[in-house]
């Protein structure tokens, strides 16, 4: 028995119960409410000192279902249409069964609820869970079974496999089992810990440093169903503007107007497609947010206008730290209106970020968010297309650290921050973090300063990004933005895309992005990507090629690098590299209608575009082992090269027929194949029965009316739901979109391709479909005639 349990308090014997909106169980020590949200979603909300005080930052009010029954026998039994929950009257032990009577989850002994000091714990038996996945943004392997994880948003610039917390916190996991997966979301924003069988193989547990034990249980049985339910609860992403799926170029920093203009010109001259250019901190005056450095960018607005004519969108970075400077309006106003975070002694908290001494807006307050929204408006007026939210963990350095960073990067031209070894655990088993870099723990938040920083820390970024999104909608009511963020918490997917922060230009980091993006996706976030080419350190040509090949299949495809490192624009490594890389960016642009349709699925159901094998093949026990490959949507299996010098690799193909994307060669799974991968080839396989919609090449989204939609069909039976709309406005919310079902079925020796409109609300520029078979046969059909097309062998 874990030591802590000897000292802690449990629910105690169940003395009585009543069925109201929830099932309320009155225990000897504490009480529990079990809510039935939907047939497969339960909420377990435990009292603390007999009180229920939790107000969620993430879950909106949902009126729980009353469609459940309770009876008392040996045990207390709660039944929904899909689940049976039993509560042992002596120990309070809870077990959850599915309709077939299979035990899905049960408490470990009487430890389903424990309180020790302020902390709240829950222990569960480890049964048939083969993997624990999700947990947001994580280094290390895909499967977190046997691992211990902490949720505390941390700006740690060194992402080694053994580091724990990063920029985001997602106290959510998916417990995968080939037959019955489930999920748990711990709705608690304090620092939380998950020990997934590291301490013992018999149980896993999670706990929060403070606050309540309030968690949700989602039953699948498939991983997709779990994600659908989890995102039903915590929110789903909107459709990104279509151009946001194009290629994006960034660097810390493209620091002058001239540099940006030359960059844009080079893309067009070299006919390398690109849609977005980012402006990092040096576009600002003294790093003051919402200012523009007029020396570096004398005609900022004009530059944006000119570039937009060439199809470029500009996205500036925004940091939450506001420079302490009596001549700076934002600072003065914030002080006058009392909008910044204060410490318990009533003094405004100050810390150091790029501008020097800074104060931090208290985003938990509505008034503060609305003020930020107003400030954004001024920037939006200049013609930008979204925001890049950085440093919002929030990251805040000491004076010394700050001086050192300025010196290292801006004067000594370091290519990465110094590595300071971390001692992973101290005596109290708390992670000892060098990169603490956040507000001091005595900061209080809220209108009445009723929240400690411990409670708000993990949602600070979420709240900033909420203001960013809501502000955008007010300023540009009918234009979708591209918002990206570094920090976040569960629910961040409602507002923003997520990039994984400061990785390095190394092979390890290219590899790391594979499990990392899979787990982020499994946490309900569809729009994810890592800095392609790597952020810190110098990239080299081979690594660059391999990473651009891989980035082509990231949902979010942005090349970004740190200051002082070798440039990594597509042409930075010579002509041969440029040629290969251009082909991949071209491929990305061809794939846009496929990827956009996947985002529709994410919006509708919360199913992310980037998928672990277990998402599409939940019953295949092999799938979980192969974290070095992934699926983009249901049809494309991507198996990147992640070692220097490697020109072939082993690929696991799950059950069914697969076709080599490049050669059309057929391979049949389940099996492991050794496939060749010369420098210019990333192994990609297409599932038999796929219909992949492809666009014609263009330099940026919207450059050309897409009159022809290529449909590449791969022998077999299957269907694909194709989505289209104008790609930039919110009109789709009013029905202005088309949904087409493409399906492929066997007919005599060949196949029938049917095209069926499921929804017809948008006037598409399309004139015809160009069907391309595996053998390279091309059949053109006019749009209006398209219904059933016979494809002879
Ligand atoms: O302390 O704005 O992750 O993408 O280029 C570094 C400069 C601050 C961290 C971001 C990175 C960005 C950099 N920022």
């Amino acid at each position: 028995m874990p030591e802590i349990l000897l000292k802690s308090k449990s629910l105690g014997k169940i003395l009585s119960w009543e069925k109201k909106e929830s099932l309320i169980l009155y225990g000897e020590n504490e009480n529990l409410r079990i809510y039935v949200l939907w047939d497969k979603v339960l909420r377990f909300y435990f009292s603390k000192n007999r009180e229920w005080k939790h107000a969620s930052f993430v879950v909106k009010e949902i009126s729980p279902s009353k469609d459940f029954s309770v009876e008392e026998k040996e045990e207390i039994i709660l039944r929904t249409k899909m689940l049976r929950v039993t509560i042992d009257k002596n120990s309070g032990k809870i077990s959850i069964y599915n309709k077939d009577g299979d035990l899905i989850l049960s408490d470990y002994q009487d430890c389903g609820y424990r309180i020790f000091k302020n902390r709240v714990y829950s222990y569960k038996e480890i049964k048939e869970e083969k993997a624990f996945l999700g947990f947001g943004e994580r280094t290390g392997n895909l499967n977190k079974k046997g691992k211990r994880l902490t949720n505390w948003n941390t700006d740690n610039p060194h992402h080694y496999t053994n580091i724990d917390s990063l920029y985001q916190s997602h106290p959510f996991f998916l417990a995968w089992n080939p037959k019955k997966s489930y999920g748990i979301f711990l709705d608690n924003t304090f620092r939380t810990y998950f020990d997934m069988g590291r301490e013992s193989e018999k149980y896993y547990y999670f706990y929060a440093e403070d606050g309540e034990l309030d968690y949700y249980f989602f039953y699948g049985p498939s991983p997709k169903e779990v994600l659908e339910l989890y995102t039903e609860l915590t929110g789903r992403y909107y459709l990104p503007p279509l151009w946001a799926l194009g290629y994006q170029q960034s660097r810390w920093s493209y620091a002058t107007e001239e540099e940006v203009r030359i960059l844009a010109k080079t893309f067009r001259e070299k006919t390398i497609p690109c849609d977005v250019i980012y402006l990092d901190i040096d576009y600002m005056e003294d790093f003051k947010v919402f200012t523009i450095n007029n020396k570096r960018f004398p005609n900022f607005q004009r530059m944006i206008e000119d570039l937009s004519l060439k199809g470029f969108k500009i996205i500036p970075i925004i940091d939450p730290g506001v420079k302490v400077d009596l001549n700076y309006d934002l600072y003065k106003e914030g002080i006058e209106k009392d909008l910044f975070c204060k410490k318990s002694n009533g003094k405004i908290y100050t810390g150091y970020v790029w501008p020097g001494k800074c104060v931090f807006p208290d985003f938990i307050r509505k008034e503060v968010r609305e003020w930020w929204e107003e400030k954004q408006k001024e920037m939006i007026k200049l013609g930008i297309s979204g925001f890049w939210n950085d440093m919002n963990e929030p990251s805040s350095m000491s004076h010394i650290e700050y001086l050192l960073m300025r010196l290292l990067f801006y004067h000594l031209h370091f290519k990465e921050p110094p590595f300071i070894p971390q001692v992973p655990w101290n005596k109290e088993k708390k992670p000892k973090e060098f990169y603490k870099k956040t507000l001091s723990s005595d900061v209080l938040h809220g209108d009445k300063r009723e929240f400690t920083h411990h409670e708000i820390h993990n949602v600070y970024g979420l709240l900033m990004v909420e203001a960013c999104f809501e502000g955008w909608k007010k300023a540009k009511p009918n234009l979708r933005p591209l918002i990206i963020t570094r920090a976040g918490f569960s629910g961040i997917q409602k507002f923003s895309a997520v990039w994984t922060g400061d990785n390095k230009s190394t092979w390890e980091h290219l590899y790391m992005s594979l499990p990392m993006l899979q787990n982020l996706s499994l946490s309900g976030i569809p729009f994810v990507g890592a800095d392609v080419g790597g952020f810190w350190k110098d990239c080299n040509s081979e690594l660059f090629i391999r990473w651009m090949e891989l980035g082509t299949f990231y949902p979010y495809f942005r090349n970004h690098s740190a200051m002082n490192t070798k440039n990594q624009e597509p042409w930075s490594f010579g002509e041969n590299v440029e040629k290969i890389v251009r082909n991949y960016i071209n491929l990305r642009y061809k794939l846009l209608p496929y990827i956009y349709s996947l985002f529709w699925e994410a919006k509708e159901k919360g199913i992310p575009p980037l998928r672990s094998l277990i998402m599409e093949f939940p019953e295949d026990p092999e799938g979980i082992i192969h974290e070095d490959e992934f699926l983009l949507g249901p049809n494309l299996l991507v198996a990147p090269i992640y070692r220097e010098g490697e020109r072939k690799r082993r690929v696991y193909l799950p059950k069914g027929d697969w076709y080599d994307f490049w050669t059309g060669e057929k391979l049949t799974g389940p099996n492991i194949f050794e496939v060749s991968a010369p420098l210019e080839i990333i192994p990609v396989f297409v599932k038999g029965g796929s219909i992949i919609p492809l666009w014609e090449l263009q330099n940026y989204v919207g450059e050309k009316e897409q009159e022809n939609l290529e449909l590449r069909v791969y022998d077999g039976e299957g269907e694909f739901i194709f989505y289209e709309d104008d790609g930039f406005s919110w009109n789709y919310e009013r029905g202005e979109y088309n949904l087409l079902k493409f399906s492929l079925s066997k007919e005599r020796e060949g196949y029938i391709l049917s095209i069926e409109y499921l929804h017809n609300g948008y006037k598409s520029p399309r004139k015809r479909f160009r069907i391309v078979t595996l053998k390279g046969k091309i059949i053109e059909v006019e749009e209006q005639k398209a219904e059933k097309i016979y494809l002879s062998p």
Side-chain angles (χ1 to χ4, degrees):
M1 158 125 1
E3 198 187 329
I4 201 109
L5 294 180
L6 300 173
K7 302 185 258 180
S8 65
K9 179 173 85 172
S10 71
L11 201 57
K13 273 201 179 78
I14 307 296
L15 305 174
S16 65
W17 60 270
E18 63 183 321
K19 180 178 184 257
K20 285 190 164 168
E21 199 187 37
S22 61
L23 164 60
I24 311 178
L25 299 152
Y26 298 96
E28 243 172 338
N29 304 322
E30 290 288 352
N31 305 331
L32 161 64
R33 290 180 186 166
I34 306 178
Y35 293 87
V36 174
L37 263 71
W38 304 297
D39 293 334
K40 294 197 289 182
V41 181
L42 305 170
R43 175 185 178 196
F44 295 88
Y45 182 13
F46 294 83
S47 68
K48 195 173 189 183
N49 307 319
R50 300 276 187 198
E51 287 185 318
W52 282 285
K53 283 201 204 153
H54 183 216
S56 179
F57 291 104
V58 176
V59 177
K60 51 189 186 296
E61 284 291 322
I62 294 171
S63 36
S65 156
K66 298 216 171 58
D67 198 6
F68 67 95
S69 66
V70 184
E71 68 177 315
E72 184 173 345
K73 288 188 174 166
E74 303 277 276
E75 304 166 306
I76 299 162
I77 304 168
L78 177 153
R79 281 195 177 82
T80 77
K81 282 204 193 84
M82 303 297 284
L83 300 172
R84 175 164 57 94
V85 184
T86 63
I87 302 109
D88 184 276
K89 285 186 270 183
N90 275 318
S91 61
K93 175 173 173 160
I94 298 168
S95 304
I96 306 174
Y97 301 82
N98 68 8
K99 242 178 26 188
D100 302 333
D102 303 328
L103 180 57
I104 308 302
L105 174 66
S106 72
D107 288 343
Y108 178 68
Q109 300 173 356
D110 63 346
C111 309
Y113 185 36
R114 289 287 173 150
I115 305 185
F116 175 65
K117 296 187 178 162
N118 282 332
R119 298 183 193 161
V120 290
Y121 294 75
S122 187
Y123 284 71
K124 307 290 179 198
E125 278 176 23
I126 294 185
K127 296 189 175 304
E128 293 167 42
E129 297 89 346
K130 296 278 178 279
F132 295 111
L133 307 163
F135 297 108
E137 186 176 44
R138 297 288 169 184
T139 62
N141 293 103
L142 182 66
N143 186 353
K144 299 304 182 197
K145 196 171 178 180
K147 297 274 188 285
R148 180 188 158 110
L149 310 114
T150 310
N151 287 307
W152 184 253
N153 291 4
T154 308
D155 175 8
N156 181 341
H158 294 288
H159 303 182
Y160 292 104
T161 30
N162 57 350
I163 67 143
D164 189 357
S165 302
L166 269 181
Y167 315 99
Q168 304 235 344
S169 290
H170 294 261
F172 166 77
F173 67 86
L174 170 83
W176 171 78
N177 163 284
K179 292 275 180 262
K180 31 186 203 260
S181 294
Y182 65 85
I184 286 187
F185 168 51
L186 173 59
D187 189 8
N188 183 310
T189 63
F190 286 90
R191 194 191 290 256
T192 55
Y193 302 85
F194 287 75
D195 185 307
M196 307 315 286
R198 174 180 177 271
E199 190 172 285
S200 161
E201 288 181 356
K202 295 203 186 79
Y203 58 79
Y204 68 84
Y205 67 101
F206 45 89
Y207 71 98
E209 280 202 332
D210 205 338
E212 280 89 352
L213 184 68
D214 185 359
Y215 69 86
Y216 294 82
F217 167 86
F218 314 87
Y219 181 54
S222 72
K224 278 189 182 173
E225 286 166 286
V226 173
L227 273 190
E228 196 172 338
L229 293 167
Y230 171 65
T231 55
E232 181 75 38
L233 187 77
T234 57
R236 293 183 185 140
Y237 193 49
Y238 45 95
L239 273 165
L242 225 165
W243 52 261
L245 303 181
Y247 176 70
Q248 321 195 16
Q249 187 65 50
S250 183
R251 179 164 174 85
W252 174 24
S253 288
Y254 296 124
T256 64
E257 186 173 325
E258 200 192 350
E259 202 180 342
V260 174
R261 284 177 184 272
I262 291 173
L263 179 77
K265 198 159 149 249
T266 312
F267 273 105
R268 294 300 177 249
E269 272 170 12
K270 291 179 173 289
T271 59
I272 298 174
C274 179
D275 263 276
V276 190
I277 294 174
Y278 286 78
L279 299 180
D280 207 323
I281 47 176
D282 296 285
Y283 80 86
M284 298 181 226
E285 192 191 304
D286 290 338
F287 307 118
K288 289 185 291 202
V289 270
F290 300 123
T291 67
I292 284 148
N293 185 321
N294 291 322
K295 285 204 195 81
R296 290 167 182 268
F297 292 86
N299 305 295
F300 191 78
Q301 190 166 5
R302 186 60 199 282
M303 173 192 81
I304 295 180
E305 282 163 15
D306 290 348
L307 293 183
S308 89
L309 294 176
K310 295 185 194 151
F312 287 99
K313 292 96 202 153
I314 299 292
I315 299 203
I317 198 167
I318 291 291
D319 291 1
V322 173
K323 186 177 173 65
V324 175
D325 178 345
L326 288 169
N327 297 316
Y328 177 28
D329 288 345
L330 195 73
Y331 172 72
K332 278 195 299 190
E333 216 185 297
I335 293 286
E336 273 159 29
K337 297 188 174 156
D338 190 19
L339 304 175
F340 300 123
C341 295
K342 288 181 179 167
K343 297 193 286 189
S344 52
N345 64 8
K347 293 209 173 113
I348 294 182
Y349 169 83
T350 55
Y352 287 80
V353 205
W354 291 111
K357 200 185 215 179
C358 284
V359 292
F360 296 83
D362 189 11
F363 286 113
I364 179 100
R365 293 162 56 197
K366 191 149 189 265
E367 188 195 348
V368 177
R369 293 201 298 275
E370 283 171 358
W371 172 70
W372 197 255
E373 290 173 10
E374 274 304 308
K375 297 297 145 193
Q376 265 187 198
K377 233 185 203 163
E378 297 302 310
M379 230 50 250
I380 294 173
K381 276 192 197 144
L382 301 176
I384 57 165
S385 298
F387 285 104
W388 169 16
N389 294 275
D390 189 23
M391 307 297 267
N392 49 351
E393 292 72 32
S395 189
S396 167
M397 297 175 262
S398 69
H399 198 182
I400 300 285
E401 278 171 309
Y402 163 71
L403 292 172
L404 190 71
M405 288 297 182
R406 280 293 292 254
L407 183 73
L408 295 184
F409 285 98
Y410 280 90
H411 301 283
L412 299 176
H413 306 290
F414 268 50
K415 293 171 196 283
E416 64 176 324
F419 178 67
I420 295 150
Q422 294 185 58
V423 186
W425 308 99
N426 70 11
K427 281 198 206 99
E428 293 153 57
K429 295 211 170 168
K430 268 194 181 170
K432 180 142 170 119
E433 295 143 351
F434 169 74
Y435 292 100
K436 270 191 199 137
K437 298 210 305 191
T438 195
L439 307 197
S440 60
S441 55
D442 66 339
V443 166
L444 297 175
H445 299 264
D447 288 324
K448 303 191 193 82
R449 310 218 284 124
E450 63 274 40
F451 299 102
T452 61
H453 186 65
H454 288 291
E455 184 165 8
I456 299 308
H457 176 81
N458 282 340
V459 286
Y460 188 87
L462 176 81
L463 292 160
M464 176 187 181
V465 173
E466 180 180 339
C468 182
F469 177 64
E470 296 303 334
W472 181 278
K473 284 219 296 205
K474 285 179 199 161
K476 292 265 181 197
N478 206 22
L479 209 57
R480 290 177 239 163
L482 168 55
I483 293 171
I484 74 165
T485 181
R486 196 170 73 174
F489 189 77
S490 303
I492 192 73
Q493 70 275 4
K494 273 182 288 194
F495 310 117
S496 182
V498 169
W499 105 102
T500 57
D502 300 345
N503 61 1
K504 294 179 206 280
S505 299
T506 65
W507 291 94
E508 291 79 2
H509 279 243
L510 180 156
Y511 181 88
M512 189 159 52
S513 74
L514 302 172
M516 204 170 181
L517 296 179
Q518 289 177 55
N519 272 329
L520 260 177
S521 298
L522 282 162
S523 306
I525 310 165
F527 206 11
V528 294
D531 285 346
V532 174
F535 179 69
W536 304 120
K537 292 180 181 272
D538 288 339
C539 195
N540 62 57
S541 42
E542 186 172 341
L543 179 60
F544 185 66
I545 290 173
R546 291 308 196 185
W547 215 325
M548 288 292 282
E549 290 174 351
L550 169 58
T552 301
F553 301 93
Y554 284 168
Y556 176 69
F557 185 16
R558 183 183 75 153
N559 170 340
H560 180 51
S561 55
M563 73 167 18
N564 310 323
T565 64
K566 181 170 167 46
N567 269 70
Q568 55 190 44
E569 290 74 34
W571 49 85
S572 304
F573 299 90
E575 270 174 34
N576 290 339
V577 177
E578 181 184 322
K579 216 173 117 197
I580 297 175
V581 161
R582 180 196 286 104
N583 284 338
Y584 277 90
I585 300 179
N586 283 345
L587 173 61
R588 172 74 176 203
Y589 278 75
K590 287 191 194 163
L591 282 169
L592 285 179
Y594 175 72
I595 302 173
Y596 197 48
S597 299
L598 299 178
F599 272 90
W600 169 78
E601 200 183 347
K603 172 186 83 77
E604 287 291 298
K605 299 196 189 118
I607 311 298
L610 189 146
R611 302 176 189 173
S612 295
L613 297 191
I614 58 114
M615 288 273 280
E616 288 298 322
F617 302 91
E619 299 194 0
D620 180 353
E622 284 293 302
I624 197 66
I625 304 162
H626 302 281
E627 63 175 31
D628 63 349
E629 49 189 77
F630 64 88
L631 290 133
L632 183 64
N635 305 88
L636 297 181
L637 188 147
V638 183
I641 299 296
Y642 47 84
R643 287 201 192 98
E644 187 163 16
E646 212 142 86
R647 298 292 180 265
K648 56 181 197 249
R649 65 160 280 176
R650 284 150 65 86
V651 180
Y652 174 70
L653 297 178
K655 195 169 172 217
D657 290 340
W658 296 87
Y659 296 91
D660 185 309
F661 181 75
W662 308 103
T663 64
E665 185 198 349
K666 176 169 153 181
L667 298 171
T668 302
N671 216 336
I672 290 179
F673 300 91
E674 189 167 277
V675 300
S676 83
L679 199 52
E680 68 285 1
I681 293 291
I682 177 173
V684 176
F685 300 88
V686 191
K687 209 166 80 183
S690 292
I691 305 122
I692 311 278
L694 300 172
W695 264 355
E696 290 180 341
L697 273 187
Q698 49 186 346
N699 284 303
Y700 55 90
V701 170
E703 186 195 25
K704 291 182 189 147
E705 296 254 285
Q706 295 288 331
E707 295 184 346
N708 304 307
L709 185 70
E710 180 174 329
L711 298 179
R712 243 191 239 182
V713 297
Y714 293 82
D715 293 0
E717 299 202 296
E719 62 175 54
F720 185 75
I721 306 285
F722 169 78
Y723 173 85
E724 64 179 345
D725 63 16
D726 65 16
F728 57 84
S729 78
W730 296 101
N731 294 351
Y732 72 80
E733 289 184 337
R734 295 192 294 272
E736 288 185 28
Y737 64 88
N738 296 335
L739 209 56
L740 281 77
K741 186 163 107 182
F742 304 141
S743 40
L744 202 58
S745 55
K746 253 197 141 55
E747 174 83 16
R748 287 166 282 152
E749 300 299 297
Y751 292 93
I752 292 251
L753 172 68
S754 5
I755 299 174
E756 182 194 341
Y757 270 83
L758 303 179
H759 182 93
N760 191 346
Y762 163 67
K763 204 176 165 315
S764 160
R766 186 177 40 259
K767 297 219 167 97
R768 64 192 68 81
F769 297 99
R770 182 171 290 153
I771 300 150
V772 181
T773 70
L774 260 173
K775 291 208 177 114
K777 207 153 112 197
I778 299 173
I779 304 162
E780 289 206 350
V781 284
E782 295 306 304
E783 164 82 30
Q784 57 272 32
K785 282 190 237 142
E787 273 185 358
K788 281 190 175 357
I789 304 111
Y790 182 65
L791 309 174
S792 57

